[in-house]
């Protein structure tokens, strides 16, 4: 009955393993609520009192501004992890500087700084928001990015007010999808 009447709120086929759920019982040990955490920010409450029904809720998300700095010795991802920063920042920086920096060719000694939003739920990081400002030094060449929002447009501009979006990407492939480098040991069939 609960499933049939609440398909628009929750489809039981979406229940995933390793997700947290709670069953709340009354004094007679009869289940009154079942709470399923769909994502770190969303949960579904199944009210089992009387006619069962379900409704979706969202946890409070706290957004804080953070500063990230680092010098790359291995990779951007490893540098972020070693500095106790959210590794998701790597893909966000790659999006911001996609037209200026080839993230496949980062070198030891490249530097970065970023002021960014990080989202928290219950004290745990659940994602990266907008990068407000960033600096990336690649092969001793500095690159700056500043966010600009107007109406429905959000873009990044350099220190001279020029858009970072250009005709061609520096690395046309999404750099986070590459699993290994091409070498002479890997021949094309």
């Amino acid at each position: 009955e609960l499933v049939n009447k609440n398909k628009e709120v929750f489809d039981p086929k979406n229940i995933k393993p390793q997700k947290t759920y709670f069953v709340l019982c009354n004094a007679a040990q009869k289940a009154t609520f079942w709470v399923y955490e769909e994502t770190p920010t969303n949960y579904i409450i199944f009210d089992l009192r009387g006619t069962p029904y379900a409704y979706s809720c969202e946890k409070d998300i706290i957004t804080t501004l953070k500063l990230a700095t680092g010098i790359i010795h291995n990779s951007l991802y490893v540098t972020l992890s070693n500095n106790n920063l959210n590794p998701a920042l790597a893909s966000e920086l790659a999006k911001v500087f996609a037209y200026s920096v080839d993230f496949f060719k980062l070198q030891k000694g490249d530097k970065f700084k970023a002021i960014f939003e990080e989202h928290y739920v219950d004290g745990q990081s659940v994602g990266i928001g907008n990068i407000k400002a960033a600096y990336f030094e690649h092969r001793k060449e500095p690159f700056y990015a500043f966010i600009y929002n107007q109406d429905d447009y959000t873009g990044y501009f350099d220190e001279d007010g020029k858009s970072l979006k250009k005709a061609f990407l520096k690395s046309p492939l999404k750099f986070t999808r590459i699993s290994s480098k091409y070498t002479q040991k890997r021949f094309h069939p």
Side-chain angles (χ1 to χ4, degrees), residues 139-187:
R139 297 181 178 178
K140 305 219 184 277
E141 184 179 352
F143 298 95
Y144 293 88
F146 303 95
I147 195 167
Y148 178 75
N149 297 311
Q150 184 176 8
D151 300 326
D152 291 337
Y153 176 77
T154 299
Y156 288 92
F157 294 84
D158 66 13
E159 70 277 20
D160 296 321
K162 295 177 185 167
S163 176
L164 292 184
K165 232 178 195 178
K166 298 189 173 70
F168 298 102
L169 295 168
K170 283 290 184 175
S171 5
L173 298 173
K174 189 173 180 183
F175 94 100
T176 55
R177 297 284 182 206
I178 302 297
S179 61
S180 62
K181 294 182 178 179
Y182 180 82
T183 66
Q184 292 297 329
K185 294 178 185 175
R186 253 178 84 187
F187 291 107

Side-chain angles (χ1 to χ4, degrees), residues 43-146:
Y43 57 99
I44 309 291
I45 297 177
F46 299 90
D47 189 339
L48 306 173
R49 303 170 298 170
T51 303
Y53 68 96
Y55 52 96
S56 178
C57 299
E58 191 171 293
K59 293 183 179 183
D60 290 334
I61 299 172
I62 296 170
T63 301
T64 60
L65 276 180
K66 290 186 82 175
L67 172 67
T69 63
I71 299 172
I72 297 170
H73 296 290
N74 187 347
S75 71
L76 180 58
Y77 181 89
V78 170
T79 302
L80 290 167
S81 295
N82 289 344
N83 290 340
N84 295 319
L85 295 164
N86 190 331
L89 183 58
S91 63
E92 296 304 316
L93 283 169
K95 289 177 194 173
V96 170
F97 290 110
Y99 295 88
S100 307
V101 177
D102 185 348
F103 281 83
F104 289 111
K105 296 181 180 176
L106 294 181
Q107 294 183 338
K108 187 176 181 177
D110 284 353
K111 301 173 188 174
F112 67 90
K113 291 181 187 180
I115 299 171
F116 65 99
E117 298 172 334
E118 187 158 14
H119 304 301
Y120 291 90
V121 171
D122 299 330
Q124 298 291 323
S125 176
V126 293
I128 301 295
N130 287 324
I131 293 177
K132 299 294 187 177
Y135 166 81
F136 209 97
E137 185 178 302
H138 177 55
R139 297 181 178 178
K140 305 219 184 277
E141 184 179 352
F143 298 95
Y144 293 88
F146 303 95

